[in-house]
Amino acid sequence: MKILGIETSCDETSVSIVEDGINVLSNITATSLDFHKKYNGVIPEIACRHHIEIINYVLRDALKKAGLLVKDIDVIAVTKGPGLVGALLVGISLAKALSFSLNKPLVGVNHVHAHLYSSMMSAENLEFPSVGLVVSGGHTNLYCVDSPSDMRLIGYTRDDACGEAFDKVAKILELGFPGGPIIEELASKGVPEKIKFPRSFLEKNSFDFSFSGIKTAVLYYTRDVKNNGEQVPVNDVCAEFQEAVFEMLLTKTRSACIEKKAKQIFCGGGVIANKALRRKIDLMAEKLLIKSYFPCPGMSTDNAAMIAGLAFHLYKRGIISRLSLSPEPRVLI
Ligand code: KG4
Ligand code: ZN
């Protein structure tokens, strides 16, 4: 079964065709990231306009790369949320138009669940129950996973998302946007123990996260160093910030794996592109005698292959959307 997926929840415009939930025939992504850089964050209006301008070309290229015509597609899948409402609307409008004109079923997909599914696409076999960790610019969620189409939210951030903390700390240190990749690079040149930032673990029996404290700690530390007329040791700040954030992520993920008797751990979202984080998760999983899975290269950040892939499992369970499908900008499940 060939599913055409559309992703427009934030600044990436992506169209992909995936066969049977696993075989990626094409995955074309355009981004408006460069237009947002000078504002240190994604500007919704710019992202929406860019989607409108480019989406038909991205669709054309995805079909061409897969060597298919629209009539060869069996199901149309689209990100229904969470995301920027105007941006979601562009993808949903295209998906509805295709579904209606081709008379093919429409499947609305949760973007965060799809991030998690992207790592299932790289697993040789799936075992359940498992634990899922999604760490992106908008979400930091822990799931108990019973099947690709059955993900139960067991923990989430009470304030900033993990990627958001990376972006805000990069802004404090005047490193540019997005913060994740640059902080990862500078952290590799620094020594974490030279500075000590606080870790927040909330209640022991909770799988929730909190990253606003560490961000504020970096802000105050940087301000104090500057006020003393000294130079901020940027590499060491990045190293300690990253170390603290990963310790918080891993402590809760480890507890979830033990409590839920996880057989595997699936990870997704933009922050999972971080190699130091992947190494730490691998090590943790090894100690727990379970396997850890990450998205294939290029599939950590937003893409439509994960949408088309997950839609296959939803469709098989009979989860189909109506043409009245609306954006769900703030779903939290
Ligand atoms: O999943 P994503 O592409 O978009 C959302 O759905 O949010 O994630 C983007 C986030 C940004 O906050 C970015 O700073 C972070 O992922 N990120 C990273 C890395 N690459 C991207 N964070 C840490 N290390 C990285 N290498
Ligand atoms: Zn995302």
Side-chain angles (χ1 to χ4, degrees):
M1 171 180 288
K2 296 182 189 69
I3 300 191
L4 184 140
I6 301 168
E7 155 63 39
T8 61
S9 65
C10 192
D11 56 332
E12 267 94 23
T13 317
S14 186
V15 178
S16 169
I17 296 154
V18 176
E19 198 172 28
D20 299 337
I22 191 81
N23 187 16
V24 181
L25 304 180
S26 66
N27 186 26
I28 305 292
T29 304
T31 178
S32 56
L33 184 66
D34 280 347
F35 301 106
H36 306 288
K37 279 187 173 158
K38 68 174 169 186
Y39 305 105
N40 275 317
V42 174
I43 305 296
E45 183 68 11
I46 294 175
C48 299
R49 283 177 189 278
H50 192 262
H51 287 313
I52 293 168
E53 282 165 17
I54 203 133
I55 197 156
N56 283 336
Y57 301 104
V58 177
L59 170 66
R60 183 197 61 192
D61 288 357
L63 286 163
K64 196 172 164 198
K65 176 97 191 283
L68 296 171
L69 300 170
V70 270
K71 69 173 177 54
D72 303 321
I73 302 297
D74 300 301
V75 172
I76 307 295
V78 65
T79 303
K80 61 178 178 180
L84 305 169
V85 64
L88 291 165
L89 201 55
V90 179
I92 290 175
S93 302
L94 175 63
K96 284 183 186 177
L98 288 169
S99 166
F100 179 70
S101 59
L102 300 166
N103 198 22
K104 301 287 178 183
L106 176 68
V107 177
V109 177
N110 177 305
H111 177 88
V112 186
H113 293 183
H115 267 305
L116 206 49
Y117 182 71
S118 64
S119 62
M120 296 188 198
M121 291 171 91
S122 68
E124 58 267 22
N125 67 318
L126 299 176
E127 290 180 52
F128 303 105
S130 284
V131 158
L133 172 70
V134 180
V135 209
S136 72
H139 296 85
T140 310
N141 290 1
L142 260 177
Y143 291 92
C144 184
V145 185
D146 288 318
S147 82
S149 57
D150 194 352
M151 302 172 181
R152 212 160 14 90
L153 186 66
I154 55 171
Y156 54 90
T157 179
R158 294 195 188 162
D159 37 59
D160 291 342
C162 186
E164 188 182 356
F166 269 89
D167 295 335
K168 286 179 175 170
V169 164
K171 191 175 174 192
I172 294 165
L173 298 172
E174 297 172 33
L175 299 175
F177 175 82
I182 177 87
I183 288 184
E184 176 178 12
E185 197 201 323
L186 299 181
S188 70
K189 299 175 194 160
V191 181
E193 297 83 35
K194 281 197 183 164
I195 309 157
K196 195 74 188 161
F197 292 135
R199 276 81 168 143
S200 162
F201 295 106
L202 301 170
E203 307 82 35
K204 224 177 163 60
N205 60 352
S206 157
F207 295 126
D208 288 352
F209 304 96
S210 168
F211 297 107
S212 67
I214 174 103
K215 170 201 66 187
T216 310
V218 175
L219 178 71
Y220 289 167
Y221 172 84
T222 308
R223 188 194 59 189
D224 292 348
V225 172
K226 281 184 178 167
N227 282 348
N228 286 342
E230 293 163 18
Q231 190 141 21
V232 179
V234 176
N235 294 352
D236 295 338
V237 173
C238 290
E240 169 63 5
F241 164 74
Q242 205 176 254
E243 190 70 18
V245 165
F246 292 169
E247 198 180 318
M248 292 185 257
L249 277 176
L250 283 161
T251 302
K252 295 293 176 177
T253 308
R254 190 174 171 279
S255 307
C257 286
I258 294 169
E259 189 181 306
K260 303 297 172 192
K261 298 186 172 53
K263 298 206 169 89
Q264 298 179 326
I265 164 161
F266 299 107
C267 306
V271 181
I272 289 292
N274 189 299
K275 292 185 202 68
L277 177 58
R278 287 187 181 211
R279 275 197 298 276
K280 281 181 186 285
I281 292 173
D282 275 339
L283 208 68
M284 180 197 77
E286 224 177 286
K287 285 188 184 153
L288 293 173
L289 303 176
I290 62 176
K291 278 206 141 185
S292 43
Y293 292 100
F294 305 100
C296 305
M299 275 180 58
S300 290
T301 46
D302 291 351
N303 68 87
M306 64 186 194
I307 305 299
L310 179 53
F312 173 73
H313 297 276
L314 298 172
Y315 181 74
K316 269 201 320 191
R317 270 187 62 184
I319 301 171
I320 298 172
S321 305
R322 294 167 185 265
L323 278 177
S324 56
L325 178 72
S326 303
E328 295 174 19
R330 269 181 280 279
V331 274
L332 180 72
I333 49 169

